[in-house]
Structure formats: C-alpha cells, structure tokens
Amino acid sequence: MDVSVLIDEVIAREGGYGNHPADRGGPTNFGITQAVARANGFLGDMRALPRSVAVAIYRRLYWEKPGFAFVAEIAPSVAEELFDTAVNMGPGTASGFLQRALNALNRNEADYPDLKVDQSVGGKTLAALGAFLKLRGRSGEKVLLKALEALQGERYLALAESRPANEAFLYGWLANRIG
C-alpha cells in the first residue's frame, strides 16, 4: 500500500482553500485546518500553504503517528479507512472505532481479549486485528470495514443533530466518506 496515493486522494477530495462560515475549523487548505498547520510550523496565510507541507502533515499525523502504517501490513483496506476517518475526525477517533469494532466482534472474548478503548493503536490492538483476521479471513476484513463505516456514519449524524450548522456538511460527509 502506498500512502502517497491515499494522501493524493484526500487532497483531491478536500480541494484547495476554503473558509466555510459553518466550519469550526476556520481557514483550511488541502483539508488542513489553520490550527493544525500552525501546530506543525506553518505560520503563513492558509491560501499559501504549500501542498508539500500538507502532504507531510498527512503522512506524519494521520498515518505514521497513529500506527496505521502497521495496520496496513495486516489489513490494507482497514488502514485506508482509518486514515480517511482520521483526516476527517481525528486519529484518536479512528483508532477508537477500530478498538470498539474489534471488541464487539470478538464473541465475548472467545477469540481474543477485549481491548481498552484508549484511542491508540499499539501492540494489543494489532494482535487483536491479526487474531480476528486469522479467524475470519478476508471476508472478516469486509465486515470490519462495515463496522468502522457504521460507527463513522453514526458519528456524522450525531454531529449534525447536536449542532444544526453541521447539517451543511452531512450530505457530503455521507456521500464522500462512507462506503
């Protein structure tokens, strides 16, 4: 799996500069919010954010740091989904979705122990993922993807219900981020 392709797809989907009045992220370019850009050393106008800076941020914060590169070695399609979810909801949320889904799919710990949902992909999460896929195979990977997307979709609906301004984004979230 080439994360560069995933990053290119995210940048194409996110587009260039934007500053939607309903978006709490404020000025954004290539899908990178101003706060994230600032936290990663970019201090200029968001309209001038270099694409190379956005690519580096995506690779470091949304692929390497949360451990999704290790997930890709076991389940590439799951890693791709986690990356996309992380970009839109944060790496901790994506990791927590994986842990919750693995817990719910372990048949009351008959297949592997429950994970602490600490929103961090580490050795125990990777071991549980490996155990799940060893038992369920590639069809299990498809089921796990459905569980991750269900959690993501429910989160989008909850965001729109809790803050009416988010309804401006709900259709796009569901159209572009689920399935």
Side-chain angles (χ1 to χ4, degrees):
M1 164 173 281
D2 184 359
V3 69
S4 298
V5 172
L6 298 179
I7 293 170
D8 287 344
E9 289 171 355
V10 164
I11 288 175
R13 197 167 37 251
E14 293 289 341
Y17 178 80
N19 191 7
H20 193 287
D23 187 349
R24 289 183 172 170
T28 303
N29 201 350
F30 304 118
I32 302 295
T33 65
Q34 182 171 292
V36 169
R38 299 287 184 262
N40 286 274
F42 180 76
L43 303 176
D45 186 307
M46 286 303 291
R47 290 176 190 87
L49 179 76
R51 188 179 192 281
S52 61
V53 171
V55 168
I57 289 171
Y58 279 126
R59 180 179 302 273
R60 187 175 59 259
L61 293 185
Y62 302 100
W63 183 254
E64 294 169 355
K65 188 175 179 183
F68 300 153
F70 298 115
V71 172
E73 294 173 12
I74 302 169
S77 61
V78 171
E80 182 176 346
E81 177 63 27
L82 294 173
F83 172 75
D84 186 66
T85 302
V87 166
N88 199 248
M89 296 184 164
T93 298
S95 299
F97 285 171
L98 175 63
Q99 291 167 329
R100 289 177 58 201
L102 287 169
N103 284 347
L105 290 166
N106 73 0
R107 297 182 314 134
N108 295 311
E109 298 188 83
D111 301 328
Y112 48 86
D114 273 342
L115 299 164
K116 178 180 179 188
V117 181
D118 61 5
Q119 298 189 325
S120 178
V121 173
K124 290 179 182 178
T125 301
L126 294 171
L129 176 60
F132 173 75
L133 293 175
K134 184 177 180 183
L135 178 69
R136 298 293 183 175
R138 290 298 147 202
S139 63
E141 190 169 348
K142 290 178 184 176
V143 169
L144 182 56
L145 283 170
K146 287 180 182 183
L148 294 171
E149 289 181 349
L151 288 165
Q152 187 178 15
E154 191 285 325
R155 176 78 175 256
Y156 287 134
L157 289 171
L159 287 170
E161 290 169 342
S162 68
R163 183 173 176 257
N166 284 335
E167 288 184 13
F169 308 112
L170 182 61
Y171 184 89
W173 287 336
L174 294 173
N176 297 309
R177 299 287 183 179
I178 305 295

